[in-house]
Amino acid sequence: MRLAVIVQRYGADLNGGAELHARYIAERLSRHAEVEVFTTCARDYVSWRNEFPPGPDEVNGLPVHRFPVRRERDPREFGRRSARVFERTHSLADELRWLRSEGPESPALVRRLRQAAPTYDFLLFFSYRYYHAYHGIRAASPQAVLVPTAERDPALGLAVFGPVFRGVRALMYNSPEERALIEGVSANHDVPGVVVGVGSEIPARGSARRFRSRTGIRGRLALYVGRIDENKGCGELFDFFQRYAAHVSDQLRLVLVGSALIDVPSHPRIHHLGFVSDEEKFDALAAADLLVMPSYLESLSMVTLEAWAMRLPVLVNGACDVLRGQVVRSNGGLYYTSFDEFAEALHVIETHPDLRTGLAANGRAYFDRHYTWRTIERKYLSMLERLQEEDRAETPRSIERLPSWLGRRRRDRPPAREVVDALPTGPVLDPAPGPARRGPRRRRAGRARG
């Protein structure tokens, strides 16, 4: 089997969500198939500035084809176009202009995909909302498989993406909540799909002693791993933790691992370690008492899965359906939706070692059932083999054509935020297995209590 993986950025030192996800999947599938990667020359996800040289490259033994980005992102233009399509009635042409302004715009990459698509069995596209995925899928829909990495944000409500979700050969979802959102917004129930997620490179063990020797940090620790950003809920986390430290506990420390895009408070019990190696990250997980995930928007939290693999309980933001769903289904942690709930849940985890042990054991069992690499690889290969069988038996689906020039300019599209706000909320509590399942049942859930 010959596969292409297409993603907006790619590199051994790019540790962001979808990009790391794509690299892990490409490297794992290369054990079973011939895999090549198509990507841009960008390294930075904000500017999309060309930093890698165009042309052939190699990353961890896989061939990589890099194509230049036509222009860097203009933040002011992108902000104006986002406000138009997210908040106001608009046209399909407005959405396409928004897509170009978001980037990374690489017509050369799309042209190459159009030419090369027939030489691959399948093309795996990562992240639905970017230029390369939208135009690449339209250029190669008979072979296109989408890993959407969709969050509950306004972009999901844009009308341009409905035909993409309905026109690909299959979707590999990160979570039942992501699947429910996409099925709700696009009515793509007849497109094969499976909740698969992604595994992680988990060491046999981390070293708490090595962490403490390296950092000098002692005592009980709550750990955050990821980009330190307002969009990841870190501003609220800082507020909640400082109030907790002042009024509830004089022992627990908050340790932050990751690059900071906002200021980290100067506080005697908040420690920012910056960007660290994988060994240092797993040592921090080994030393911590719990992982805190304050994000409002996730399609899958890889670090939450890593925490469970390392037998660590988690405390997550219950306003994020994906995180809340993971906690409810696994019974591997607690969630909060206010400071009072944050303080209560954090205090219970901090002061009850038996509860920490029980939640951690539940999380590890959940990881072993759903997120080992053996399970992830089997789901991908089973889906691709199913699609090959369908190719022999029937004509592949085709993607819907865009409306006419005039139709694309008719301002009859509702604000995308309103579309997303109308979708069901809450975790998916009874996801049925297998790619043939129809839409999941959802309900609003109460607080997770272990």
Side-chain angles (χ1 to χ4, degrees), residues 232-443:
K232 290 292 185 179
C234 292
E236 182 178 78
L237 173 62
F238 294 152
D239 173 45
F240 283 6
F241 181 80
Q242 289 178 94
R243 290 161 65 184
Y244 180 83
H247 301 294
V248 180
S249 170
D250 61 359
Q251 299 294 318
L252 190 69
R253 297 177 180 275
L254 175 63
V255 174
L256 307 161
V257 168
S259 301
L261 300 184
I262 60 174
D263 291 336
V264 177
S266 177
H267 188 281
R269 284 195 276 136
I270 297 178
H271 307 270
H272 179 214
L273 304 184
F275 185 83
V276 302
S277 68
D278 281 348
E279 179 186 82
E280 292 169 312
K281 177 183 72 173
F282 285 110
D283 286 350
L285 286 165
D289 293 274
L290 75 154
L291 177 82
V292 182
M293 270 300 294
S295 178
Y296 280 85
L297 298 173
E298 295 290 330
S299 68
L300 176 74
S301 171
M302 290 176 63
V303 70
T304 296
L305 302 179
E306 291 172 339
W308 283 330
M310 297 288 290
R311 301 184 183 277
L312 196 65
V314 301
L315 176 62
V316 306
N317 188 342
C320 176
D321 288 346
V322 169
L323 293 175
R324 187 166 66 177
Q326 285 182 308
V327 162
V328 170
R329 288 189 296 274
S330 67
N331 202 21
L334 307 179
Y335 71 81
Y336 62 90
T337 59
S338 66
F339 169 72
D340 288 341
E341 291 177 0
F342 174 89
E344 177 188 355
L346 186 55
H347 186 61
V348 167
I349 294 175
E350 180 188 357
T351 58
H352 289 74
D354 289 344
L355 175 64
R356 288 201 304 272
T357 300
L359 293 174
N362 292 341
R364 175 62 196 230
Y366 184 74
F367 176 88
D368 287 341
R369 285 195 304 273
H370 299 289
Y371 293 103
T372 63
W373 273 119
R374 182 178 179 181
T375 299
I376 300 298
E377 290 174 34
R378 176 177 52 79
K379 287 184 176 182
Y380 267 92
L381 294 172
S382 295
M383 176 60 79
L384 297 176
E385 289 165 2
R386 170 185 169 178
L387 297 179
Q388 283 187 316
E389 292 175 3
E390 290 180 359
D391 283 347
R392 291 189 284 267
E394 59 188 62
T395 302
R397 70 177 66 243
S398 60
I399 197 164
E400 301 161 31
R401 298 181 65 179
L402 284 169
S404 66
W405 184 92
L406 185 60
R408 292 197 298 273
R409 284 155 179 78
R410 188 173 296 117
R411 294 198 169 174
D412 57 359
R413 309 292 171 167
R417 190 180 302 278
E418 291 183 4
V419 174
V420 173
D421 286 346
L423 295 172
T425 60
V428 177
L429 302 183
D430 57 349
R437 184 183 59 77
R438 299 288 180 171
R441 288 195 308 140
R442 315 187 81 184
R443 71 174 178 84

